[in-house]
Amino acid sequence: MKHFALTASLLLLLLPGLLTGQEKQAHNLSTPVSISITNGQLTTLFNQISAQTGIYFSYDPVLVNADQTISLTMQNKPIQQVLEQVFKDRFQFKLLKNQLIITKRKAQQPVFQTDPPEEIHYELSGILTDLEDQAAISYASISILGHPLGTISNTDGEFRLNIPSEYESDTLIISCMGYARQILLLDTLQNQRLNLQLRPIKIHLQEVKVTAINALEVMEKLSDRIPDNYGSKPLLMNCFYREVLKQDKAYINVSEAVMDILKSSYTNPFRQDQIRYLKGRKSPNVQPFHLVDFKMQGGPYYITKLDVIKTMDSFIDQEFRNYYRYEVDRVIEYLNRPTVVIHFEPNGKFDYLTYEGELYIDRETFALVHAEFSLSKNGKKIARRSLIKKKPRGFNVRPIEMNYTVTYKNHHKKWYLSAAQTSVRFHVKSRKDRINSMFHSISDLLVTNYRETNLRRFKRFENFNSNDIFREIITDYDEAFWGNYNIIKPSEDLRKALKKAPAPESSLPSKSQPHALTSQTKQP
């Protein structure tokens, strides 16, 4: 069965190592050690170095196979030389006090930019609130009529949009589900910070009888009209990606970047989308909390798989229509168009990941314009088994929720990927190590502009792939980093997390036990 590789591809790592006897002074990589191993495991090497120096190892068990067999004899050789003898040039080593961190050696990351950002005439910013209760309106679309350029509001209702000179006399459209659209002339908005209140709408389309709409017929038309509704030419999409991770109430990491997506034709199911990194920044405070270092593998790569029309996920694919139940829930007005909302859920229990949620389908064109879905109840049980690849004894890792959304935008009578989000919560508990934490990861993708292209593929070294750790390829925080690029403006709490000073080295845990916990999404 077809399932997209969930954006919840996660790695949870406890700092591994071995403490024998009294903790020794921290050394450097030139400290000599003597090693004697015959057909032993890699962990034996780590243990011998730890016993002689008091240095303890931190590594990703997916990349470093600690169970591999090695034979090695070296007398009074520097630690650096010993490790290079074993790992060759595949890894790099960094010593923080008595923690030796092994990471994959990265090639020099060039900054690619095929087209410079357009000349910006001015920056338009503001805040969106509900007219009735003054609440902030998040994830509202702010775009220019007739053009693909746009952004969305953050969780505080704030937005920022760079207006190129060629659009200064165009029309700004602000829209959000459940609110009346606002249309403003850009040439009247220069040098203003907007404070806009959107009027809630509750429209019941009385002329459309829900009972008269057959959900399966709507789904069949959705599938049949994909070639008519979605682009048949490759696109080069400029996008903004943000990855946020919290452990309980504390931010572990905030990373964000501008990237390019080479979006292949929706009529070519065999060519996958490609992603390349342009520039990014991250919070300086990325030290592990409570012995747990939590990483997301391939975040930007996997979030593009939320384009369920392109990937033809199981609840969209005609071939697997009988595995789900579909029911028309309501008919609403969405983007000034009648839209059928179809609820779907698994038609029984299956031994693979299944989903439930809502599909928003345009009543006139039968295009999918928005989807909200999550793992079904049985899917969560399957996920608990399939997501956890490796964990130490005594650790309980339980997925609490995995929620996904994807939105499409209409331009010249075709629908294109506009935004996607994944929200994942994991509960990690170990009585022995006194860990009882909730991890919450949120990833956002926003397409800010796009154009047709003759480019067939990115160069191999440009590609961001499924094994890359996003936060490890980007630079530190810079207040004036983005320049003319359009982004999702960070909320107030994210701005604080981005500016937060890094934790001092002395806060690194130095008495960690030899644990390694890895969870990873697998394809059923």
Side-chain angles (χ1 to χ4, degrees), residues 173-365:
I173 293 185
I174 299 156
S175 59
C176 185
M177 190 181 304
Y179 291 90
R181 291 199 305 176
Q182 281 207 21
I183 299 177
L184 304 169
L185 297 178
L186 283 171
D187 56 11
T188 66
L189 304 178
Q190 297 184 27
N191 302 317
Q192 293 187 41
R193 175 173 168 79
L194 304 179
N195 188 347
L196 301 175
Q197 295 183 317
L198 302 188
R199 177 173 56 84
I201 56 173
K202 297 179 181 179
I203 297 178
H204 301 282
L205 302 183
Q206 300 294 342
E207 68 276 14
V208 180
K209 293 183 178 180
V210 172
T211 55
I213 302 175
N214 186 296
L216 286 178
E217 288 182 2
V218 174
M219 293 301 299
E220 290 298 319
K221 290 181 179 179
L222 182 153
S223 299
D224 292 342
R225 297 191 185 182
I226 286 177
D228 299 324
N229 287 326
Y230 299 89
S232 59
K233 297 180 180 180
L235 297 174
L236 185 62
M237 292 181 158
N238 305 128
C239 68
F240 175 76
Y241 176 78
R242 177 181 289 141
E243 195 173 280
V244 176
L245 177 64
K246 296 180 72 174
Q247 180 178 354
D248 301 321
K249 295 182 179 181
Y251 284 95
I252 293 180
N253 178 56
V254 180
S255 301
E256 50 190 24
V258 172
M259 311 184 88
D260 278 341
I261 298 176
L262 185 56
K263 168 65 70 174
S264 60
S265 166
Y266 282 93
T267 59
N268 185 351
F270 303 106
R271 183 176 288 276
Q272 295 190 17
D273 298 340
Q274 297 181 37
I275 301 175
R276 69 179 175 192
Y277 167 84
L278 295 180
K279 64 183 303 188
R281 66 180 184 180
K282 63 184 176 184
S283 56
N285 187 24
V286 293
Q287 303 293 350
F289 284 68
H290 306 300
L291 307 182
V292 180
D293 186 15
F294 184 114
K295 296 181 180 180
M296 287 194 66
Q297 185 176 5
Y301 172 88
Y302 284 114
I303 201 169
T304 63
K305 306 303 180 186
L306 282 172
D307 185 352
V308 294
I309 295 296
K310 173 64 179 174
T311 58
M312 289 300 291
D313 215 310
S314 58
F315 49 85
I316 298 293
D317 199 331
Q318 288 174 303
E319 183 179 352
F320 305 107
R321 197 64 41 85
N322 292 333
Y323 289 84
Y324 286 92
R325 288 193 294 268
Y326 301 88
E327 182 178 294
V328 176
D329 183 75
R330 60 197 184 276
V331 178
I332 65 171
E333 185 176 285
Y334 179 57
L335 301 180
N336 283 1
R337 298 172 65 90
T339 302
V340 180
V341 182
I342 291 182
H343 175 80
F344 70 92
E345 59 186 22
N347 190 20
K349 292 185 177 180
F350 306 100
D351 291 330
Y352 44 77
L353 295 175
T354 51
Y355 307 94
E356 61 186 13
E358 292 185 335
L359 305 175
Y360 292 69
I361 300 172
D362 186 83
R363 185 70 175 88
E364 297 176 2
T365 65

Side-chain angles (χ1 to χ4, degrees), residues 11 13 59-65 297 389 467 518 520:
L11 296 177
L13 306 176
Y59 58 89
D60 182 343
V62 173
L63 299 176
V64 179
N65 180 11
Q297 185 176 5
K389 182 180 179 182
N467 294 321
T518 302
Q520 186 173 9

Side-chain angles (χ1 to χ4, degrees), residues 114-174:
T114 53
D115 295 312
E118 298 173 270
E119 181 184 351
I120 300 304
H121 182 54
Y122 66 94
E123 178 184 294
L124 183 67
S125 64
I127 186 169
L128 305 177
T129 56
D130 187 298
L131 178 63
E132 295 181 356
D133 61 13
Q134 314 306 313
I137 300 176
S138 56
Y139 298 103
S141 172
I142 300 97
S143 60
I144 299 176
L145 180 64
H147 302 285
L149 185 73
T151 186
I152 59 176
S153 58
N154 64 19
T155 53
D156 294 335
E158 297 176 321
F159 67 90
R160 190 199 82 179
L161 181 65
N162 289 321
I163 308 296
S165 300
E166 61 183 292
Y167 298 151
E168 61 181 315
S169 298
D170 279 78
T171 301
L172 188 75
I173 293 185
I174 299 156

Side-chain angles (χ1 to χ4, degrees), residues 339-464:
T339 302
V340 180
V341 182
I342 291 182
H343 175 80
F344 70 92
E345 59 186 22
N347 190 20
K349 292 185 177 180
F350 306 100
D351 291 330
Y352 44 77
L353 295 175
T354 51
Y355 307 94
E356 61 186 13
E358 292 185 335
L359 305 175
Y360 292 69
I361 300 172
D362 186 83
R363 185 70 175 88
E364 297 176 2
T365 65
F366 294 96
L368 178 69
V369 300
H370 181 76
E372 300 177 2
F373 55 102
S374 60
L375 280 177
S376 63
K377 183 177 181 180
N378 190 59
K380 290 178 183 177
K381 294 179 181 179
I382 301 298
R384 188 171 184 177
R385 299 196 300 265
S386 64
L387 291 175
I388 308 305
K389 182 180 179 182
K390 184 179 181 181
K391 68 182 181 69
R393 181 179 301 174
F395 268 72
N396 180 40
V397 182
R398 184 163 56 98
I400 303 299
E401 65 179 33
M402 295 183 176
N403 299 326
Y404 310 94
T405 63
V406 59
T407 301
Y408 298 86
K409 181 181 290 186
N410 187 280
H411 182 227
H412 291 167
K413 298 183 179 180
K414 294 287 186 180
W415 295 85
Y416 302 97
L417 176 68
S418 176
Q421 185 190 77
T422 175
S423 174
V424 181
R425 293 182 189 270
F426 270 86
H427 184 222
V428 180
K429 186 175 183 180
S430 170
R431 181 176 299 177
K432 177 182 176 181
D433 292 271
R434 297 181 180 179
I435 296 175
N436 186 7
S437 290
M438 184 72 70
F439 287 88
H440 187 195
S441 173
I442 301 176
S443 298
D444 280 294
L445 176 73
L446 171 68
V447 176
T448 57
N449 208 347
Y450 53 85
R451 60 178 174 81
E452 292 184 5
T453 181
N454 293 323
L455 188 62
R456 303 296 294 173
R457 58 181 58 84
F458 295 140
K459 295 178 181 178
R460 179 176 297 180
F461 65 88
E462 294 181 354
N463 273 333
F464 189 98

Side-chain angles (χ1 to χ4, degrees), residues 42 63-65 68 83-84 86-93 102-106:
L42 186 58
L63 299 176
V64 179
N65 180 11
Q68 74 179 76
L83 295 177
E84 288 177 350
V86 174
F87 294 109
K88 307 303 179 185
D89 59 353
R90 294 181 296 130
F91 296 93
Q92 58 189 14
F93 315 103
I102 303 175
T103 57
K104 184 178 179 181
R105 187 179 297 277
K106 301 186 288 292

